[in-house]
Amino acid sequence: MKTIAQIAADIPHYDAEALRADAVHAFLRQLAQPVASTERVGLCDALGRVLAEDIVSPISVPPHDNSAMDGYAFDGAQLHPGHALALRCVGTALAGRPWTGTVARGECVRIMTGAVMPAGLDTVVPQELATAEEDGHVRIAPDVLRAGDNRRCKGEDLMQGQVALARGSLLAPAALGLVASLGLARATVFRRLRVAYFSTGDEILSPGEPPRAGAIYDSNRYTLCGLLARLGAEVIDLGVVPDQPDRLEAALREAAARADAILTSGGVSTGDADHTRAMMQQLGDVAFWRIAMRPGRPMAAGRIGSALLFGLPGNPVAAMVSFLAFVRPALLRMMGREATDPPLLRAVCTEPLRKKAGRTEYQRGWVHTAPDGTLQVRTTGNQGSGMLSSMAQANGLIVLDHGQGPAPAGTTVNVMMFDGAV
């Protein structure tokens, strides 16, 4: 296991006092490794979990050629351009009840969606394109279909022995349906990630406590709780820890003993009254950064024992943005996910965006579809790092890269959508 200094030495242009966002990502990719423990769970308990091994299809899907339509199955070689076709219907194939008779040239079989294609037949004419006549014949007009139409071939979705889902895949609803379609009732997944978190500071009140002069209510624990729950982590709430060395030491030791990762908010800057930074240094191997970003700037990352530590800034929006930009991808990697970064949308900003080159900025935005069908984005108001109301009104973060300057109205920008990240 590499030390924090060894990881830092591998990162090009590493500078803890002015760290670029891309360097933070590179650092955390080395720091965060998947948990080793796995478990077998039923499919209904597997939603949101991450596969710990490939799922190899034990069968072909579909297991046989079948009809994609209600209609009439026949040998498509009988179709000729410009000519109608009349076929005598000799039977019916139902889903789950195959037709086992012989179908000769000039004959067809009435077939339902999903029914096995009778031997020698490769084409289905939908019932709305065929005319059933009283003498038992079916007439097909010229040039309404081609040979092979409306047939699902055996294994066209998956062939037996093919990897259906790879290790590291998230078991979303569609993936659960895919696993079930293979006849598998259980899956091997990484165990849930255990994440302990707490807020620090003598000025922090928990909701429900009476207000007092100079104190503020703790919002960070609740946003972090929601963010971690959306990830599917097992969350361990250690409450508010006052800025006292003995209390901070006890909280960090408990978190390290119970969790795979520790999240704190507040106390990682260079303020004289903050003991959190000193206690992290005393108990673990931790780097303290000043990231070239806005909102946010101070952040800590490292280890206490075997647990990874992420120290977030105390300002509410800065804490949430730092989590979304850096901690979420690292936790996903610990959960075993292969793809950890949400895709960025491209949208046209409808107003000028102020931005200084030399830092990455994450501005709160609202993405909407314009009448012409293009995606547009506007900011949601005051962008101060303590303004949680503008974060609550946003549906994404406008991501302005390190080297980018001001963006005039009409500029196409990247947006990290919350629906893909929160």
Side-chain angles (χ1 to χ4, degrees):
M1 181 184 297
K2 289 184 177 181
T3 66
I4 299 304
Q6 289 171 329
I7 295 176
D10 291 338
I11 308 302
H13 312 297
Y14 181 88
D15 179 0
E17 290 301 309
L19 197 61
R20 288 176 55 124
D22 53 3
V24 176
H25 285 291
F27 185 101
L28 294 178
R29 275 194 295 270
Q30 292 197 41
L31 179 67
Q33 298 299 319
V35 298
S37 301
T38 64
E39 57 184 344
R40 293 278 290 173
V41 298
L43 293 188
C44 289
D45 296 319
L47 181 64
R49 306 293 291 275
V50 179
L51 276 178
E53 60 183 33
D54 292 349
I55 290 183
V56 178
S57 180
I59 60 174
S60 293
V61 181
H64 41 65
D65 289 5
N66 69 90
S67 176
M69 297 276 185
D70 289 349
Y72 299 88
F74 63 100
D75 179 3
Q78 300 170 90
L79 290 169
H80 298 286
H83 291 79
L85 180 64
L87 302 168
R88 185 169 67 90
C89 186
V90 296
T92 300
L94 303 175
R97 295 175 59 186
W99 167 260
T100 57
T102 301
V103 184
R105 185 174 179 83
E107 296 178 339
C108 66
V109 170
R110 178 86 167 108
I111 195 166
M112 302 296 124
T113 302
V116 175
M117 293 287 287
L121 308 188
D122 63 2
T123 305
V124 175
V125 57
Q127 59 185 13
E128 60 270 22
L129 297 181
T131 303
E133 299 180 342
E134 292 183 359
D135 62 359
H137 282 74
V138 173
R139 183 171 295 275
I140 304 170
D143 305 322
V144 296
L145 76 165
R146 296 172 298 180
D149 279 357
N150 305 313
R151 175 187 59 164
R152 301 185 185 124
C153 295
K154 175 181 178 179
E156 71 176 21
D157 188 1
L158 285 169
M159 289 299 293
Q160 184 177 5
Q162 182 181 345
V163 174
L165 289 170
R167 182 184 189 271
S169 298
L170 177 70
L171 288 172
L176 294 184
L178 176 59
V179 177
S181 76
L182 306 178
L184 302 175
R186 304 178 71 80
T188 300
V189 298
F190 290 101
R191 68 162 172 80
R192 289 192 185 279
L193 196 68
R194 296 187 288 267
V195 183
Y197 63 101
F198 58 88
S199 298
T200 65
D202 293 334
E203 76 282 11
I204 303 299
L205 295 173
S206 292
E209 293 183 336
R212 68 170 189 268
I216 58 173
Y217 285 107
D218 183 12
S219 63
N220 288 349
R221 276 172 49 227
Y222 297 90
T223 55
L224 290 176
C225 177
L227 290 164
L228 291 170
R230 284 287 185 93
L231 279 180
E234 179 184 329
V235 293
I236 303 170
D237 182 3
L238 298 182
V240 177
V241 179
D243 197 29
Q244 300 169 11
D246 58 335
R247 298 284 295 277
L248 288 168
E249 179 178 4
L252 286 169
R253 289 189 182 278
E254 179 184 358
R258 296 178 62 186
D260 305 297
I262 307 165
L263 286 181
T264 69
S265 65
V268 293
S269 63
T270 55
D272 292 337
D274 290 326
H275 298 290
T276 305
R277 182 183 176 115
M279 190 55 62
M280 288 177 176
Q281 288 176 312
Q282 176 181 321
L283 297 179
D285 183 14
V286 183
F288 294 91
W289 297 325
R290 289 174 62 82
I291 303 173
M293 67 180 293
R294 182 177 184 267
R297 192 167 172 81
M299 182 173 165
R303 299 186 189 92
I304 294 180
S306 61
L308 264 59
L309 171 71
F310 303 95
L312 303 179
N315 283 324
V317 176
M320 191 171 179
V321 169
S322 298
F323 180 96
L324 292 172
F326 306 121
V327 178
R328 180 182 181 274
L331 294 180
L332 286 172
R333 184 169 174 79
M334 295 178 71
M335 293 165 61
R337 288 282 300 275
E338 292 296 329
T340 59
D341 296 323
L344 298 177
L345 295 183
R346 300 282 286 168
V348 177
C349 60
T350 59
E351 59 189 335
L353 302 176
R354 298 175 61 187
K355 162 74 166 63
K356 289 184 179 180
R359 68 188 183 192
T360 302
E361 293 197 11
Y362 303 86
Q363 299 191 15
R364 284 141 272 177
W366 178 263
V367 177
H368 60 281
T369 303
D372 64 0
T374 61
L375 289 178
Q376 296 185 348
V377 63
R378 59 171 176 79
T379 60
T380 56
N382 193 310
Q383 297 292 307
S385 61
M387 303 296 293
L388 199 54
S389 60
S390 58
M391 184 65 113
Q393 295 164 15
N395 63 0
L397 293 174
I398 304 168
V399 183
L400 303 174
D401 292 335
H402 185 87
Q404 186 173 350
T411 302
T412 300
V413 295
N414 289 324
V415 183
M416 179 195 300
M417 296 299 295
F418 290 160
D419 279 347
V422 180

